[in-house]
């Protein structure tokens, strides 16, 4: 059951981060996408998409610790690299204030790529 949830939720994480990544990159290029309501929607969506990375890591840790499963080679590395990427993006948000959309756009697509790469390993 937990494995099925982890597998299903991985696609949610990949798609959500791809969508917010592309959305942020478009907002970086087009000022019209940065009005107040769109900004709020983008940042709320980004929070949920990046929180899904943490949910995936918790589910994966549960599978290993409680159910005695083993992760495929490098699978855990990609998962924990995604956690680090979220932390790095968050920590640089003040320094890159003029390029916040670009930062979160690239981060979203990077997280999508890590998710796809970890699925390929299965």
């Amino acid at each position: 059951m937990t494995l099925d949830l982890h597998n299903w939720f991985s696609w949610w994480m990949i798609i959500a981060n791809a969508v917010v990544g592309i959305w942020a990159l478009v907002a970086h290029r087009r000022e019209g996408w940065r009005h107040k309501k769109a900004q709020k929607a983008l940042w709320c969506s980004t929070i949920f998409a990046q929180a899904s990375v943490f949910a995936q890591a918790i589910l994966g840790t549960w599978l290993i610790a409680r159910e005695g499963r083993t992760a495929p080679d490098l699978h855990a590395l990609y998962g924990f690299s995604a956690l680090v990427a979220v932390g790095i993006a968050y920590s640089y948000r003040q320094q890159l204030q003029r390029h916040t959309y670009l930062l979160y756009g690239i981060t979203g697509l990077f997280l999508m790529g890590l998710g796809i790469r970890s699925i390929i390993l299965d």
Side-chain angles (χ1 to χ4, degrees), residues 17-62:
N17 280 290
V19 168
V20 298
I22 292 168
W23 186 358
L25 289 175
V26 171
H28 175 73
R29 296 288 280 164
R30 304 200 184 266
E31 198 169 320
W33 284 54
R34 296 183 218 157
H35 61 82
K36 192 163 183 113
K37 285 184 182 181
Q39 261 188 343
K40 187 174 182 177
L42 172 61
W43 298 132
C44 288
S45 300
T46 300
I47 289 167
F48 284 116
Q50 292 185 0
S52 70
V53 172
F54 288 91
Q56 274 296 90
I58 290 167
L59 285 170
T61 303
W62 180 271

Side-chain angles (χ1 to χ4, degrees), residues 81-82 85 105-115:
S81 296
I106 291 170
T107 301
L109 295 180
F110 182 71
L111 293 171
M112 174 203 67
L114 286 173

